[in-house]
Amino acid sequence: MNKVKLLTVLLFISVAAVAQQKLLSPKEFLGYELGERFTRHHRVVEYYQHVASVMPNVSLFMYGETYEHRPLIYAAVASPENSKNLEQIRLDNLRRAGMESGTPTTKVALVWLSYNVHGNEASSIEASMQTLYELVDPTNARSQQMLKNAVVILDPCINPDGRDRYANFYNQYGNFPPNPDSDGKEHREPWPGGRANHYFFDLNRDWAWMVQAESQQRIKVYNQWLPHVHVDFHEQGANNPYYFAPAVEPFHEVITPWQREFQVMIGKNHAKYFDAQGWLYFTKEVFDLYYPSYGDTYPTYSGAIGMTYEQGGSGRAGLTITTNEDDPLTLKDRLMHHHTSGMSTVEITAQNATRVVDEFEKYFKESISNPSSAYKTYVIKSDNNADKIKQLASWMDKHNIKYGHASAAKASRGFEYTTQSVQNVNITAEDLVISVYQPKSKFITTLFEPQSKLPDSATYDITAWNLMYSYGFKAYALNERINVGKPYQPKTVDNAAIGTKPYAYIFKYKSLRDVEFLAALLSKKVKVRLAIQSFKVSGETFDAGTLIVPQRNNESVPGFDNLIQTLAKQMDRKIYTTTTGFVEAGKDFGSDYVTYLKAPKVAMLTGDQTYSLSVGEIWHFFEQQLHYPVTQIGTDYFKSVELHKYDVLVVPEGNYRLFDEKTLGDVSSWVSNGGRLIVIASALNSFADQKGFGLKLYTNEDEKKAMEKLESAQKEKEGLLTYEAAERKSISEFMPGAIYKTTLDKSHPLAFGLGDNYYSLRENSLRFGFLEDGWNVGIIKGKAKPIQGFTGFKANRKLDNSLVFGVEDKGQGQVIYFVDNPLFRCFWENGKMVFSNAVFLVGGQ
Ligand SMILES: [Zn+2]
C-alpha cells in the first residue's frame, strides 16, 4: 500500500535565471540588506530559484500551491557528491524507516528547516535566505564541512498567504524610518492578522488532521523524506528572549530517550553561539511535546527530533520596536537569531550524523518489531458507517499508516470505546485492523490510545483528540497483536437495478458524505423531504433522518430522474426507490412527519469582534467541504443588512459589542419570522439572559454552594498558597480541551445521523443550564467526567448537568446553541455532522 513513488517534482528554473552564473547574496539579489524590509513571498521564491540555477548542488522542488495560488517550494542542499546521489539518499532513508525495501548504501543525516508557518511571525522567511546562502556559499568552510554529512531541506515559507498578508500590511502602514513606538499603526495588524492561512487556519495545529491544502501537500513530501531533525521556526511576544530546545514537560510517553537526549545536545550547541553574542534565551519552559498536530510533535512521532524555535517579535514588532526593557528589537536581530539557531542545528546534526542516522534506524526497527505501547492492535468493526471507515482509511494513507483486514475471524478481548469497558470481541475478516507493528507505530498510538498519560497537566493545547470518538466508532483497542492479512476493501455501492421513474428516491443520512450529497441536491434546486421518524417501505427499514426525494414538487427540475441517479452515482450514494408513498410502518410520505427542507440561504458574521479561527472553520467547511454557498457579512455593516433575505445566520465564536439591545431585538424578530440562528461557543455570552432568548447562565444556587464547599475543602488541603503553587491553582480552573460523552435526544433532527453516541470535544468552560423552553438535544447528564483528556477539577465540576447543544423554537424560527464549537479545527467528524444538521435539517416545514 502507498508505495512511495519517485518525487514527482517540478524543477522550475527559469531560462533567464540559468543565464546568471554567479551566486548572489540576498543583498545582491534583492537590492537591500536582509532586515531592511519585509520581502514579499514571490521575491523569496525568486531568490531560491536564482540559487538553484547557479548552484548544481541545490535542487528546488515545487510541492504545491496555496489557496491563493502562491507556490509552495522547498530546496534540498547537499554537498556536490551527495547532490548526485540525492534520490539514493532519500530512498535509503525510507529503507531505514521500513517504508521501502532494500539495503541502504548511503549514510547522511537529513535536516529539515520549516519557516514562517505563522505568517506574521515574519522574520524566519528572511532568515531562510541567509541560511540558504551561507549553506551553499562555496567559500564558507564551516558550511561545506557540514554538508559532507548532512542534507538540508529548507521550506522558506509554509504559509505564504498569511506571510504576504502581513508583509503587505506592513509595507502599506510602516513608517520610514520605522517608528519603534508600539502604539503606532504599523504595530497593530487589522483583523484577522497574518498568522493564519487563507481560511484563517492555524497551520501549526493542522499537521495531523491535514484539513488545509498546505498541510496536505506538505505532509506528502515530508513523508517522502522523513527527516531526522525538523525545526519549526516561530516568533512569540516581542519582550521574550529566544526559546530553543529542549522542550518542557509534558512529553508524550512515546518520545524516546534519544529524542530527549539530542534535544539537549542541540540546545547546548545553540547556547554556545548565543552566549558568544550575549543574547538571552530560555529552554525547558512553555513549549511542550504532547498534542500530535504541531510542527514539532508530528515529526517527533514520525522518528525525527522535532523542535520549535521561538524568537521574540510577531506581528507587533514591525521593522523595529521598543521592548519593555527599553531596547530596540529589529527585524535584523530577529532574523540573525533564527539564522544562527538554524545553522547550529545543521552543524550539531552533521557532527553527529552517524549516531543520528543509527538512532533513526533503531526508532523504526523498534516500531516495526517491538513497539512499546500497551495497545498492539486497533480494530474498527465493519458495521460502522462505510463512508466514515473510508474517510479514515484515506486519511491514514496520507500519513503512510498501514492497515487492512485480518486474514481470518478471531476471538479476542479489548477496550471498547463506546462503552468505555473491556469486552470480548469477535474480529471478523471484514473489520478494519490497524497494527502498531509498523513504522508509524508511535503516531498511531498517540491518535488512538484510549488514555494518554499526561505527566504534567499544564500543557499548551488540548489534551485529547482521539479519532475513534471523533467518528463515534464502535472500535476496540487490544493488547493482543493481530496482523493485517489482506488489503482493505472498501464496501462498494451497488446501484444496479433502479426503476426509471419511481414515486420517490430515498437516501440514508448517516455521514458527512450524505450531507455533501444533500447540499448538492439543494444546490441543484431539487426539493428534498426529511423523515422525522423511522419508516418501512418496499421491505426496507429507514431511520429517522432519511432523505426522501419525490417526483412530486420536482416536476420543474429538468431531467430529474437522470440528475438524481447521476449525482448519486458520482457521489457513491446508495439509491433506494419506492413506487408508493404508502409505507408499511411509520408515516406516509405526505405526512407532517415528513418535512420539506427548503434550501437555506446562509449568512455568517465575519470581521472585527469575531474570532478569526472560528470564522475560518465555518467558511472553509461550507466552501471546501460542503460546496454550499455562504454569504460572509462584516460585523461593521451587519446592522444595515436586510436579514430577511437569509434563512440561516451563523454567529461564530467571538467577543461581540455588536449585539446591543436594538440588534438583539432585530435578530429576535427575524428568528420569530422564520430565521434560523446558529450560535457558537463564546458567542453564546451575547445571547444568554437576554430578552427574547431562552439561554440561561448557570445560576443554580445549590450547585454554587456545592462549588464553594469544594473550593474551601481544597484550600484546606493546600494550605496557604505559595507563589510557586499559583500555577497549579489556576490549573484547577483550566479547561484545555477534553472529550466528554454526550447524552443525545436521538429523536430531534439536530441529532440525526449521529448514531447512538456523540462525544464532544470540550475546549472551553462555558456553562449553561438546560433550556427550560427548548430541546436539550445533547447534554452532559449527571456528573461530568472526561472520557479522555484533562480538565481541572473546578472547570469539570461546572459541567455537571449542563447543555452541550440545544434548540429553542421561537415563533416560526429556531435558535441553535452550541456550547462547544463543533467545527473546532474542522477535524471532529461528528461535530461537522451536528453542525450540518443545524444548517439543513432543523426547522423543516
Ligand atoms: Zn508561531
Side-chain angles (χ1 to χ4, degrees):
M1 181 198 67
N2 228 359
K3 189 169 155 41
V4 178
K5 295 186 194 101
L6 283 179
L7 286 178
T8 47
V9 293
L10 260 169
L11 210 72
F12 61 119
I13 299 168
S14 73
V15 178
V18 171
Q20 252 172 4
Q21 287 308 315
K22 184 177 162 290
L23 174 67
L24 302 177
S25 69
K27 182 185 177 185
E28 288 163 336
F29 183 85
L30 298 168
Y32 54 88
E33 193 95 51
L34 285 180
E36 284 177 9
R37 296 182 202 168
F38 288 104
T39 311
R40 285 179 63 203
H41 181 255
H42 75 100
R43 289 294 284 156
V44 179
V45 171
E46 283 162 11
Y47 183 64
Y48 272 69
Q49 287 172 322
H50 156 72
V51 173
S53 72
V54 298
M55 301 304 294
N57 59 326
V58 177
S59 310
L60 189 61
F61 304 96
M62 179 170 161
Y63 67 87
E65 65 171 28
T66 67
Y67 289 109
E68 295 173 18
H69 310 296
R70 291 185 178 84
L72 293 163
I73 63 166
Y74 72 88
V77 180
S79 67
E81 293 71 36
N82 286 337
S83 70
K84 289 182 204 132
N85 296 324
L86 198 61
E87 183 58 9
Q88 177 76 24
I89 289 168
R90 186 184 73 79
L91 287 171
D92 279 354
N93 194 51
L94 295 179
R95 287 179 182 121
R96 287 199 169 87
M99 298 279 191
E100 281 282 322
S101 56
T103 312
T105 55
T106 58
K107 196 166 195 172
V108 182
L110 298 176
V111 181
W112 187 304
L113 306 176
S114 288
Y115 297 94
N116 239 136
V117 58
H118 291 142
N120 61 357
E121 299 172 5
S123 69
S124 73
I125 192 174
E126 312 284 346
S128 93
M129 287 187 278
Q130 186 64 26
T131 300
L132 175 69
Y133 174 67
E134 283 199 22
L135 281 173
V136 302
D137 179 3
T139 66
N140 186 324
R142 180 182 172 223
S143 63
Q144 297 317 297
Q145 182 62 29
M146 295 177 196
L147 291 182
K148 283 185 185 158
N149 298 317
V151 168
V152 186
I153 291 172
L154 299 98
D155 183 335
C157 191
I158 289 185
N159 176 16
D161 294 347
R163 178 51 168 66
D164 266 2
R165 191 184 308 131
Y166 176 77
N168 290 338
F169 151 75
Y170 190 87
N171 293 341
Q172 286 174 25
Y173 288 94
N175 289 284
F176 187 79
N179 183 344
D181 181 348
S182 65
D183 289 337
K185 178 73 180 163
E186 68 189 86
H187 299 289
R188 306 292 171 123
E189 284 177 278
W191 191 98
R195 177 182 172 91
N197 77 341
H198 172 76
Y199 284 110
F200 312 154
F201 269 66
D202 183 340
L203 294 178
N204 193 34
R205 304 292 188 280
D206 193 44
W207 280 69
W209 321 131
M210 291 184 298
V211 173
Q212 296 297 293
E214 291 89 345
S215 313
Q216 290 158 17
Q217 298 168 105
R218 185 179 63 257
I219 293 299
K220 191 171 171 193
V221 286
Y222 185 91
N223 280 296
Q224 285 168 349
W225 284 96
L226 284 179
H228 307 139
V229 174
H230 179 266
V231 183
D232 207 30
F233 289 91
H234 288 260
E235 288 191 332
Q236 49 187 337
N239 295 309
N240 290 306
Y242 200 91
Y243 163 83
F244 50 72
V248 67
E249 294 287 350
F251 277 42
H252 196 285
E253 65 176 344
V254 300
I255 294 171
T256 66
W258 164 248
Q259 287 176 318
R260 290 168 175 262
E261 183 188 336
F262 199 55
Q263 285 221 348
V264 176
M265 288 166 72
I266 291 170
K268 285 187 174 165
N269 204 55
H270 297 350
K272 212 167 68 188
Y273 292 102
F274 279 59
D275 289 344
Q277 300 288 336
W279 295 338
L280 289 174
Y281 55 85
F282 68 98
T283 66
K284 306 178 282 285
E285 289 179 75
V286 186
F287 301 98
D288 59 64
L289 292 171
Y290 198 63
Y291 171 73
S293 203
Y294 284 131
D296 52 14
T297 45
Y298 182 84
T300 300
Y301 305 154
S302 301
I305 314 300
M307 295 171 295
T308 292
Y309 296 170
E310 299 267 355
Q311 163 63 39
S314 295
R316 275 286 178 97
L319 285 179
T320 179
I321 191 168
T322 306
T323 67
N324 283 350
E325 291 156 14
D326 218 15
D327 282 331
L329 173 69
T330 66
L331 178 61
K332 179 140 198 175
D333 298 333
R334 289 153 60 197
L335 81 91
M336 283 315 290
H337 300 164
H338 269 337
H339 165 64
T340 302
S341 63
M343 291 299 284
S344 165
T345 305
V346 178
E347 180 183 65
I348 186 76
T349 308
Q351 284 168 358
N352 294 279
T354 305
R355 177 98 197 267
V356 166
V357 177
D358 288 348
E359 290 284 352
F360 177 85
E361 190 168 336
K362 192 174 137 201
Y363 175 103
F364 285 96
K365 278 221 166 90
E366 278 178 12
S367 291
I368 295 164
S369 58
N370 188 26
S372 57
S373 51
Y375 292 100
K376 305 299 186 198
T377 312
Y378 296 95
V379 176
I380 298 171
K381 295 303 289 175
S382 66
D383 52 1
N384 285 290
N385 179 271
D387 291 333
K388 289 182 177 176
I389 296 178
K390 211 169 158 182
Q391 167 87 1
L392 182 74
S394 119
W395 176 86
M396 289 194 288
D397 285 343
K398 290 173 188 151
H399 286 299
N400 283 354
I401 293 173
K402 297 173 187 170
Y403 56 88
H405 299 298
S407 42
K410 188 173 181 353
S412 186
R413 202 169 158 73
F415 173 89
E416 201 280 307
Y417 291 83
T418 61
T419 55
Q420 297 277 297
S421 61
V422 176
Q423 296 179 0
N424 291 331
V425 51
N426 290 315
I427 300 161
T428 73
E430 284 75 47
D431 294 341
L432 189 79
V433 171
I434 307 158
S435 163
V436 301
Y437 289 79
Q438 61 166 303
K440 286 294 181 99
S441 179
K442 288 175 192 290
F443 183 51
I444 293 166
T445 297
T446 66
L447 292 164
F448 297 131
E449 63 185 345
Q451 284 300 339
S452 306
K453 264 198 197 131
L454 187 62
D456 189 317
S457 44
T459 173
Y460 202 60
D461 211 294
I462 56 172
T463 59
W465 45 78
N466 198 315
L467 293 182
M468 298 297 189
Y469 298 120
S470 155
Y471 285 93
F473 279 142
K474 176 97 178 156
Y476 295 83
L478 313 182
N479 300 118
E480 183 184 358
R481 176 179 184 174
I482 293 173
N483 290 334
V484 167
K486 290 175 295 188
Y488 164 64
Q489 282 294 330
K491 279 185 189 162
T492 51
V493 172
D494 176 20
N495 277 328
I498 301 157
T500 48
K501 226 165 177 39
Y503 177 82
Y505 294 92
I506 305 171
F507 297 98
K508 293 185 176 175
Y509 182 86
K510 302 278 179 189
S511 74
L512 270 185
R513 289 292 289 160
D514 296 325
V515 177
E516 281 175 59
F517 179 63
L518 170 62
L521 290 174
L522 296 178
S523 296
K524 295 203 180 300
K525 303 208 177 348
V526 173
K527 294 192 174 145
V528 181
R529 304 181 92 84
L530 173 72
I532 297 293
Q533 293 186 357
S534 73
F535 63 93
K536 187 175 176 186
V537 74
S538 309
E540 180 90 24
T541 302
F542 295 91
D543 288 343
T546 297
L547 306 174
I548 296 167
V549 186
Q551 293 283 345
R552 181 75 187 97
N553 301 128
N554 280 307
E555 294 87 348
S556 60
V557 178
F560 171 71
D561 292 276
N562 186 40
L563 173 77
I564 301 297
Q565 295 187 20
T566 307
L567 198 60
K569 282 174 189 164
Q570 271 169 5
M571 298 183 73
D572 219 21
R573 299 302 88 194
K574 170 83 181 160
I575 303 172
Y576 298 87
T577 58
T578 175
T579 52
T580 173
F582 188 97
V583 298
E584 292 145 38
K587 306 287 183 189
D588 293 331
F589 291 4
S591 154
D592 274 357
Y593 290 91
V594 178
T595 59
Y596 168 59
L597 296 179
K598 185 186 173 207
K601 193 162 163 44
V602 183
M604 63 181 280
L605 287 176
T606 186
D608 185 41
Q609 304 173 40
T610 65
Y611 293 169
S612 59
L613 293 169
S614 178
V615 169
E617 286 154 2
I618 299 161
W619 178 17
H620 179 269
F621 183 58
F622 275 101
E623 200 160 288
Q624 293 290 333
Q625 189 145 3
L626 294 181
H627 309 289
Y628 194 83
V630 59
T631 301
Q632 299 191 53
I633 299 176
T635 46
D636 52 337
Y637 62 88
F638 173 74
K639 288 181 183 181
S640 66
V641 167
E642 291 177 42
L643 209 47
H644 67 84
K645 294 196 307 200
Y646 302 94
D647 304 296
V648 171
L649 174 67
V650 187
V651 184
E653 288 211 67
N655 188 4
Y656 292 94
R657 297 179 303 280
L658 170 68
F659 294 110
D660 52 24
E661 208 183 322
K662 160 90 172 65
T663 309
L664 281 172
D666 291 347
V667 172
S668 169
S669 311
W670 167 77
V671 173
S672 298
N673 287 327
R676 190 143 78 246
L677 181 68
I678 301 175
V679 189
I680 297 178
S682 54
L684 294 177
N685 290 322
S686 298
F687 297 87
D689 294 335
Q690 296 295 327
K691 197 177 148 207
F693 297 91
L695 186 69
K696 293 273 177 277
L697 280 168
Y698 176 55
T699 53
N700 187 317
E701 283 303 317
D702 291 343
E703 283 288 334
K704 262 191 187 167
K705 274 185 198 147
M707 184 70 81
E708 278 161 18
K709 214 171 140 191
L710 193 74
E711 277 177 34
S712 74
Q714 190 71 14
K715 219 176 249 170
E716 224 160 81
K717 216 166 75 187
E718 287 169 353
L720 279 174
L721 188 69
T722 62
Y723 187 65
E724 196 184 358
E727 189 188 5
R728 299 284 116 200
K729 183 167 161 54
S730 69
I731 284 170
S732 67
E733 296 168 24
F734 192 44
M735 165 56 81
I739 300 169
Y740 286 80
K741 191 168 185 167
T742 302
T743 304
L744 282 182
D745 173 359
K746 284 171 63 183
S747 67
H748 195 282
L750 189 58
F752 285 171
L754 292 175
D756 294 331
N757 299 295
Y758 181 82
Y759 302 91
S760 202
L761 182 62
R762 223 340 126 92
E763 67 289 336
N764 63 51
S765 50
L766 294 171
R767 200 306 188 184
F768 297 98
F770 297 143
L771 297 170
E772 280 166 23
D773 203 11
W775 309 102
N776 295 288
V777 183
I779 57 168
I780 293 176
K781 206 171 174 180
K783 281 229 166 307
K785 185 177 180 300
I787 56 171
Q788 189 161 2
F790 170 81
T791 307
F793 80 96
K794 278 193 216 162
N796 192 55
R797 182 64 197 266
K798 277 200 210 165
L799 303 180
D800 292 354
N801 287 316
S802 66
L803 182 70
V804 179
F805 44 78
V807 180
E808 179 185 355
D809 290 329
K810 194 172 144 53
Q812 305 291 307
Q814 297 83 25
V815 187
I816 297 134
Y817 302 108
F818 285 109
V819 182
D820 295 334
N821 173 4
L823 299 182
F824 179 73
R825 295 179 192 166
C826 259
F827 80 104
W828 206 252
E829 199 70 8
N830 279 350
K832 292 188 264 190
M833 189 85 193
V834 71
F835 178 81
S836 304
N837 291 347
V839 173
F840 294 112
L841 303 194
V842 172
Q845 294 146 15

